[in-house]
Amino acid sequence: MNNAIISGTGFHLPENVVTNFDLEKLMDTTDEWIQERTGIIERRYVKDGVGPAGLAIPATEMALKDAGLTVSDIELIIFATSTPDYYAPGSACILQHEMGFKNIGALDIRVQCSGFVYGLSIAHQYIKTGMYKHILLIGAEVQSTAMDLTNRGRDTAIIFGDGAGAVVVSATDEDRGILSTHLHSDGAFLKELWCELPSSKMRPRISQEMMDEGRHFLFMNGKEVFRNAVTKFPEVIMEGLSANGLTPEDVNLLIPHQANTRITEMVRRRMKLSEEAVYSNIHKYGNTTAASIPIALAEAMREDLINPNDIIVFASFGSGFTWASAIIKW
Ligand code: COA
């Protein structure tokens, strides 16, 4: 039997804390407005010159140590990021070189806020087929450089932050691990949460004129995102639970993508879950896109919130739109 468990977790946040009060100095907003609408108190921004691969290094070191493994044990790197260091090559390649991994496969996936759960589904399949025993899965983002920190971008800029989470997915003979993953997308909504530039459809891919229009910043239609998120989260969680003969009552801990406290709270109520059964750390880090679930998981582990045989659920919703869930018997 080739079951896939998460054998180690790690996370890393940049040191630079940006509070709501710091944002008040840059745009017309208030700490009260941001907290009431999103639950966010502060987020972290990298210093110039640090990309997602750089953030992923300490997170990976922590995850490898936690799993009792070294770089030479890893057979595949999956790197989920919507904000790669460069257009080419991928951030997984950068990490492979900078951490001295063997010449293993290095795969970037671009599925925005659902990137970690999609990545977990890929790792799960490789382990199930017996192809690999240890896979490194990263979720890392530098969103701060895509924020329009002026009044024009204030509804989006207040939400996002930088960070990295890492897990090792390992094979086991034990009767536990990832039970299933469920992935979805609907590209009809692509412009509701997107970063248009640089674009290979443009010649040049970006110009000063395009930048003056702010088209290189992340754009979000908050109301449309909200409306879809509060239906898709419960749907995809229920899909995963039902596929395994489980109900919300069986869930020990739901770790949702940390999109926004109001979304998480609405999902929690719809699923009739207790406050203790839903993990949240968005007040400290904002929305870190693909990094939010692995960061939250690593923190939940260190707070002793996860025990053997617990039913743990990951769920995500974000740009694309994409949404996904994973059900794990820990
Ligand atoms: N500070 C103060 N006021 C702001 C503001 C800010 N940062 N951003 C927008 N506003 C203003 C708007 O201009 C608007 O003013 P008006 O009424 O004079 O036109 C007012 O606040 C209400 O704006 P609105 O867009 O209706 O707010 P909202 O209630 O929809 O809240 C979000 C905005 C972004 C907080 C909300 O839509 C949301 O949470 N969406 C989901 C976002 C999310 O989770 N994204 C991540 C997905 S992975």
Side-chain angles (χ1 to χ4, degrees):
M1 192 178 1
N2 297 315
N3 282 334
I5 54 167
I6 292 179
S7 58
T9 64
F11 69 111
H12 178 72
L13 280 308
E15 277 171 29
N16 179 25
V17 176
V18 177
T19 66
N20 294 343
F21 296 106
D22 293 326
L23 296 183
E24 281 183 9
K25 293 177 198 139
L26 302 170
M27 58 188 81
D28 292 334
T29 192
T30 62
D31 172 57
E32 194 189 356
W33 193 96
I34 299 172
Q35 283 206 47
E36 191 190 300
R37 306 283 173 127
T38 70
I40 299 165
I41 297 173
E42 57 190 41
R43 72 286 293 142
R44 307 291 182 94
Y45 284 2
V46 292
K47 56 180 187 222
D48 289 354
V50 178
L55 284 182
I57 292 173
T60 299
E61 286 167 348
M62 193 192 277
L64 286 172
K65 190 166 174 221
D66 192 33
L69 300 172
T70 67
V71 289
S72 61
D73 295 309
I74 298 298
E75 298 160 292
L76 176 70
I77 302 168
I78 304 172
F79 200 119
T81 183
S82 62
T83 54
D85 294 63
Y86 305 114
Y87 220 108
S91 297
C93 262
I94 301 172
L95 191 75
Q96 180 278 328
H97 172 67
E98 291 195 358
M99 290 193 69
F101 284 98
K102 290 187 277 191
N103 297 126
I104 53 177
L107 173 68
D108 268 34
I109 56 165
R110 300 258 314 276
V111 200
Q112 306 69 250
C113 300
S114 297
F116 181 78
V117 183
Y118 268 64
L120 195 65
S121 79
I122 298 170
H124 183 204
Q125 300 309 312
Y126 274 121
I127 300 271
K128 266 202 332 199
T129 60
M131 182 145 173
Y132 296 128
K133 288 204 162 20
H134 299 294
I135 296 172
L136 174 67
L137 169 60
I138 310 282
E141 301 278 0
V142 171
Q143 287 287 9
S144 57
T145 47
M147 294 299 116
D148 181 353
L149 295 170
T150 69
N151 281 345
R152 183 175 61 182
R154 65 178 180 167
D155 55 341
T156 307
I158 54 155
I159 287 186
F160 293 90
D162 305 338
V167 301
V168 180
V169 185
S170 298
T172 182
D173 290 334
E174 293 171 35
D175 182 21
R176 66 191 184 95
I178 301 167
L179 301 178
S180 65
T181 55
H182 302 267
L183 315 180
H184 296 282
S185 67
D186 188 348
F189 295 92
L190 85 104
K191 293 186 179 174
E192 307 300 351
L193 181 48
W194 77 321
C195 191
E196 185 189 359
L197 298 174
S199 164
S200 52
K201 290 165 74 172
M202 314 286 180
R203 200 181 307 270
R205 290 179 173 180
I206 193 162
S207 68
Q208 187 58 53
E209 194 188 341
M210 297 173 199
M211 288 171 70
D212 291 344
E213 291 165 2
R215 290 159 63 193
H216 59 305
F217 292 123
L218 186 69
F219 168 83
M220 177 179 73
N221 176 349
K223 280 198 195 317
E224 195 61 25
V225 171
F226 196 101
R227 199 173 62 77
N228 282 274
V230 294
T231 54
K232 295 304 183 198
F233 265 114
E235 248 176 56
V236 78
I237 295 168
M238 282 311 299
E239 181 186 10
L241 291 174
S242 305
N244 294 287
L246 300 167
T247 69
E249 284 173 20
D250 297 310
V251 176
N252 296 97
L253 192 64
L254 165 64
I255 303 182
H257 163 52
Q258 306 287 305
N260 174 324
T261 299
R262 279 197 309 158
I263 291 176
T264 301
E265 187 53 20
M266 210 174 269
V267 172
R268 185 185 74 73
R269 283 167 199 247
R270 286 195 182 171
M271 310 276 324
K272 298 191 172 54
L273 294 170
S274 69
E275 281 182 23
E276 298 71 45
V278 182
Y279 193 81
S280 174
N281 62 5
I282 193 169
H283 56 288
K284 296 188 285 185
Y285 308 134
N287 177 335
T288 56
T289 323
S292 89
I293 294 176
I295 293 172
L297 172 66
E299 288 203 330
M301 289 299 293
R302 281 151 190 84
E303 290 164 27
D304 287 329
L305 297 178
I306 298 179
N307 297 301
N309 294 317
D310 276 358
I311 296 296
I312 307 299
V313 177
F314 301 149
S316 63
F317 177 87
S319 162
F321 291 148
T322 58
W323 59 104
S325 66
I327 315 292
I328 301 173
K329 185 179 173 195
W330 203 262

